[in-house]
Amino acid sequence: ETKREIYVTMDGDNENDGLSPESAVASIERAIQRMELLPKPAATKVYPGDYYENGEMIVPEGCAVRSTSGQFTTNIIAKEGREQTNMLLLNSGTYVKGFTFRNQQVDSFENPTKGFGVAFAPGARIRRSPYIRDCSQVSGFDPENIAAPLDPANGNPAVGKGGGVILADRAVLDPNTTYPYMLAFGATPRTPNGLGYVARNGAGINGISSLTIFSRIAFYAIDGGHITLNN
């Protein structure tokens, strides 16, 4: 049998091969690097826990990164100093499922390019929509704190910037891309003073069961972007 899965656990070791739960690696970044060496399609399976990552992790075409237990138990947390990076960068036909993104910040409300859970990989040629399922962005949310005072006209400085869920930007793609779309199912924007779905420069997002709470702008189509929302 050909191995096509890489495993990630909090007590793993990045020197391992990642080909079984017993020989798991310790970071999602390392798992994706190992997955690139496998026959395609392949998958990275992430066990419950908190994973502190640098971001800008490029998911190979036709591959998946998914948690084994869902977003409430599996957190991808931007390392200190990496808050304004996009975490997972998607190619054609990629699949992301079951994560909560934390400690991210969008770089701008008006011209956002960084600070999102998922975005297109630079130079990707999209022939099949990446699929993002059962994820959320809760950066800036502390359930133990009383909500900070709001000042929308000045960007809510006491709240701080939150992260974004999805950025679909055609400008970063291979110009031969004919279908610059992402599909999201239950990818929930719940990020205080952050952004939800952003589609721009002719790209699009199809959002299914797209609930939102706390976001400064929940669904943002700019510069020729297109967003379709269902349910």
Side-chain angles (χ1 to χ4, degrees), residues 116-227:
F116 288 80
V118 298
F120 283 132
R125 183 181 296 180
I126 305 299
R127 300 180 300 279
R128 181 183 179 191
S129 295
Y131 185 11
I132 303 95
R133 179 164 184 169
D134 300 335
C135 292
S136 63
Q137 171 69 262
V138 299
S139 296
F141 176 68
D142 184 347
E144 302 301 321
N145 285 345
I146 297 172
L150 299 181
D151 183 5
N154 294 303
N156 296 318
V159 179
K161 288 182 178 178
V165 180
I166 298 172
L167 172 64
D169 186 353
R170 186 171 185 159
V172 308
L173 294 175
D174 183 315
N176 290 315
T177 289
T178 57
Y179 199 68
Y181 268 71
M182 292 193 188
L183 173 63
F185 189 107
T188 306
R190 49 187 183 102
T191 171
N193 208 39
L195 302 178
Y197 301 174
V198 177
R200 59 183 310 178
N201 295 313
I205 300 171
N206 184 2
I208 305 168
S209 296
S210 305
L211 305 176
T212 178
I213 186 171
F214 299 143
S215 300
R216 180 178 179 86
I217 304 173
F219 308 110
Y220 195 21
I222 56 175
D223 305 321
H226 178 238
I227 296 177

Side-chain angles (χ1 to χ4, degrees), residues 34 40 57 61 66 73 88 103-104 108 131 136 142 148 162 172 176 199 202 208 211-212:
R34 295 288 304 169
K40 307 298 185 294
M57 297 181 285
E61 184 171 324
R66 64 184 184 89
T73 63
L88 294 170
N103 197 39
Q104 291 189 274
S108 168
Y131 185 11
S136 63
D142 184 347
V172 308
N176 290 315
I208 305 168
L211 305 176
T212 178

